[in-house]
């Protein structure tokens, strides 16, 4: 359906941003599930990998991982259960202090899934120009600043 500018300008941003968030997160999680992954498992591997998000490649406890990921975890995400799956798969090990450490196999699995991201991103962005996408993000950042929220660095 096509909406006029006047119709769109009167719409509440929280409603539409929530719908967009749910749709895009759902899309990513479905794509990951198709290849036998969950988003929380992928994040855990990323935060444990010296080749990705981890600053030092050191092991982390489930609680430390939860703290690092708190801003994007969903209520249904159970990191303790996800850690058990990663342990059973041989993608992480656990030391005597309860810290999880990524294995070579886990890092390879992380890299394989990460390599799929450009294809999935292209599918999500189909029909949206780079300029349109950038404008959308600038508008969202302005909404954040206007409401007193900090805009994170990218």
């Amino acid at each position: 359906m096509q909406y006029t500018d006047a119709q769109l300008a009167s719409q509440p941003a929280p409603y539409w941003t929530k719908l967009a968030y749910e749709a895009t997160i759902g899309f990513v999680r479905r794509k990951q599930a198709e290849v036998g992954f969950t988003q929380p498992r992928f994040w855990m591997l990323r935060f444990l990998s010296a080749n990705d998000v981890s600053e030092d490649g050191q092991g982390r406890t489930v609680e430390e991982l939860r703290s690092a990921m708190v801003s994007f975890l969903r209520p249904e995400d159970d990191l303790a259960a996800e850690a058990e799956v990663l342990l059973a798969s041989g993608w992480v090990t656990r030391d005597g202090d309860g810290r999880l450490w990524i294995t070579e196999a886990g890092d390879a699995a992380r890299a394989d899934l990460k390599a799929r991201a450009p294809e999935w991103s292209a599918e999500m962005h189909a029909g949206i120009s780079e300029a349109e996408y950038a404008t959308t993000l600038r508008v969202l950042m302005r909404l954040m600043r206007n409401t007193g929220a900090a805009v994170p660095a990218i």
Side-chain angles (χ1 to χ4, degrees):
M1 176 172 206
Q2 290 292 326
Y3 299 103
T4 67
D5 285 354
Q7 288 172 313
L8 291 174
S10 69
Q11 292 293 302
Y15 173 75
W16 288 99
T17 55
K18 182 178 188 319
L19 290 178
Y21 169 78
E22 293 297 335
T24 56
I25 288 295
F27 173 85
V28 169
R29 288 184 176 227
R30 283 190 307 277
K31 290 294 189 178
Q32 289 177 337
E34 288 172 8
V35 294
F37 246 98
T38 66
Q39 195 169 45
R41 265 183 249 152
F42 178 56
W43 287 332
M44 291 171 82
L45 292 176
R46 292 191 70 200
F47 276 85
L48 293 170
S49 175
N51 298 313
D52 206 323
V53 176
S54 177
E55 296 168 1
D56 56 12
Q58 297 298 303
R60 292 184 181 197
T61 65
V62 169
E63 268 313 306
E64 289 170 334
L65 288 166
R66 185 177 288 109
S67 292
M69 297 186 272
V70 71
S71 67
F72 45 86
L73 287 175
R74 294 176 58 96
E76 67 269 22
D77 294 339
D78 182 346
L79 293 191
E82 298 286 6
E84 294 304 318
V85 173
L86 291 172
L87 286 160
S89 70
W91 290 353
V92 299
T93 60
R94 181 180 285 140
D95 67 18
D97 294 325
R99 292 186 175 289
L100 300 172
W101 296 82
I102 195 167
T103 64
E104 284 185 34
D107 210 34
R110 176 206 56 80
D112 180 59
L113 187 64
K114 191 171 183 176
R116 297 168 190 263
E119 174 189 334
W120 297 342
S121 181
E123 193 173 337
M124 257 198 305
H125 292 211
I128 303 168
S129 72
E130 188 175 288
E132 289 170 318
Y133 188 76
T135 296
T136 300
L137 293 185
R138 284 186 188 98
V139 168
L140 291 173
M141 290 174 188
R142 172 58 67 189
L143 284 171
M144 291 170 67
R145 283 191 293 275
N146 288 350
T147 60
V151 175
I154 53 174

